[in-house]
Amino acid sequence: MTPAERQLMKRKPAPEFMRRQVKLRTAEAPGTIIVDSRRKYLYFVEPGGTATRYGVGVGKEGFGWSGRMSVGRKAEWPGWTPPAAMVVRERAKGRILPAYMAGGPGNPLGARAMYLYRGGRDSMFRIHGTNQPWTIGHEMSSGCIRMMNEDVEHLYGRVPSGTKVIVVGPRETASGLYADLGPVRRGLLETIFGN
């Protein structure tokens, strides 16, 4: 890895995409995941009108999507098999993808992956980590939802298989589904000493 590549790996997303607890108005039950592709946020709905909001990277132009799915399975440091269409697409650009890449820090799926299923079948879309944190807040993927590795680890521990996932597409509005009412304000003592 070159020094320039090492510097790039240290770049973090813009401050508005850092993880925070927010007030959220939604009819969705606690434990639901809502992804707003337009705003580049993933919300994990919590009790009491709150949610943890994470910044995400989403599908680039032509790869955005919407729909309701569920987490069909989960993996820590998952291996990656590029889809056949991606192999062909990248080969046309002069890039040769491996047939399979074992899990680890250099793997494009990062530290954790939650595999999204529809009707009991793998959709080929994932919520996963990334070794490219600077892509959070951008349209950069082939349709998967990217999170910083520390964020995907945080979410992974809270999400069981079967969790409902709602993805709002990049050309859709989420009005009626949820309203982000801003960060939860903490009292001075809680800020200093924690809960």
Side-chain angles (χ1 to χ4, degrees):
M1 186 180 291
T2 69
E5 289 171 326
R6 273 194 288 279
Q7 272 307 109
L8 193 59
M9 297 292 282
K10 291 179 185 176
R11 270 184 44 205
K12 295 286 185 190
E16 63 265 27
F17 296 112
M18 302 308 280
R19 180 190 337 152
R20 64 184 40 137
Q21 190 174 36
V22 295
K23 293 179 270 183
L24 194 79
R25 186 172 56 236
T26 183
E28 296 300 327
T32 302
I33 292 172
I34 299 171
V35 178
D36 188 331
S37 300
R38 177 183 284 187
R39 296 186 64 218
K40 318 296 189 291
Y41 289 130
L42 180 153
Y43 296 88
F44 181 72
V45 180
E46 299 165 344
T50 63
T52 300
R53 185 180 75 194
Y54 306 86
V56 295
V58 297
K60 57 191 167 196
E61 185 68 35
F63 290 89
W65 60 278
S66 64
R68 293 173 184 256
M69 303 223 187
S70 63
V71 174
R73 75 179 184 94
K74 299 166 52 175
E76 297 185 18
W77 293 106
W80 179 59
T81 303
M86 180 184 286
V87 171
V88 170
R89 194 169 56 246
E90 293 303 311
R91 188 178 299 132
K93 297 175 188 174
R95 294 182 222 143
I96 305 302
L97 296 178
Y100 174 79
M101 183 181 285
N107 186 299
L109 295 184
R112 305 286 184 272
M114 289 159 271
Y115 296 74
L116 301 181
Y117 280 51
R118 178 182 285 143
R121 302 182 78 158
D122 188 351
S123 70
M124 301 305 291
F125 293 117
R126 319 282 184 243
I127 297 171
H128 65 79
T130 183
N131 54 19
Q132 300 173 319
W134 63 91
T135 65
I136 301 304
H138 298 280
E139 296 175 357
M140 301 284 289
S141 78
S142 293
C144 289
I145 310 301
R146 294 181 180 189
M147 303 177 74
M148 287 190 294
N149 277 331
E150 55 266 33
D151 284 350
V152 80
E153 289 177 12
H154 185 263
L155 179 64
Y156 184 94
R158 306 170 78 194
V159 172
S161 287
T163 293
K164 179 180 181 181
V165 179
I166 302 169
V167 177
V168 179
R171 307 292 170 249
E172 300 173 351
T173 62
S175 61
L177 177 61
Y178 81 91
D180 183 333
L181 305 175
V184 171
R185 302 283 180 224
R186 306 254 182 235
L188 178 62
L189 292 178
E190 187 177 351
T191 300
I192 296 169
F193 298 110
N195 291 329

